[in-house]
Amino acid sequence: MQVSVFVPQYGVIEAITPAFRTFNTANEFLTTFGKKPIFKVEYVGLNEYVPANNGEYTVKTDRLLKDVAHTDLLIIPPTFGDTNAGIQANAEAIPYFKKLHQSGSSLASLCIGAFLLAETGLLDGKNALPIGHI
């Protein structure tokens, strides 16, 4: 299963890295018990290096979002600080989110990452649940 963690411009590092580590840790447990890992986990973003927490951290992405034709699950973490500024800083990602969803990828958001997901229009007329995906 391909899991892509979007690294938003000015994202929250405390939400970005746990999403990534959770799936890698599951793979480590599987390996410990003699099983094959089932998740291929990657960071994807608009740029190769993405600032997080107002530049306090920088995350190196594995692939650019524009180069992702398909993923099984795209996780959208929250941005740091002003939500509107976070949406504006990541506006370029919205069409890619829509394209991935249209090609069969599941999209999930964490916390106020839901605002970025909502910008796609995919939540229009739907109830957004605290846990789940579309």
Side-chain angles (χ1 to χ4, degrees):
M1 176 181 193
Q2 178 70 48
V3 178
S4 303
V5 178
F6 176 63
V7 182
Q9 297 291 320
Y10 306 102
V12 177
I13 197 74
E14 295 85 358
I16 297 166
T17 57
F20 183 88
R21 288 297 316 143
T22 297
F23 290 97
N24 278 321
T25 299
N27 281 339
E28 291 168 8
F29 279 117
L30 288 167
T31 302
T32 298
F33 292 105
K35 299 184 182 207
K36 291 183 179 181
I38 59 173
F39 301 108
K40 184 177 180 207
V41 190
E42 67 181 347
Y43 285 127
V44 299
L46 295 172
N47 300 304
E48 184 178 4
Y49 294 94
V50 182
N53 289 34
N54 283 338
E56 184 179 351
Y57 301 96
T58 300
V59 178
K60 183 185 181 309
T61 59
D62 298 299
R63 282 198 295 169
L64 297 179
L65 184 60
K66 68 179 182 139
D67 297 331
V68 179
H70 177 78
T71 186
D72 294 301
L73 175 62
L74 176 71
I75 299 173
I76 306 168
T79 56
F80 187 83
D82 182 275
T83 303
N84 287 328
I87 290 169
Q88 289 174 5
N90 293 282
E92 183 184 336
I94 304 305
Y96 294 113
F97 296 165
K98 288 170 139 178
K99 181 179 158 197
L100 286 169
H101 183 262
Q102 290 167 351
S103 73
S105 301
S106 292
L107 307 182
S109 62
L110 302 173
C111 192
I112 62 170
F115 288 100
L116 281 174
L117 178 56
E119 286 295 310
T120 65
L122 296 170
L123 298 178
D124 290 356
K126 296 180 182 173
N127 291 325
L129 302 174
I131 299 176
H133 67 277
I134 59 167

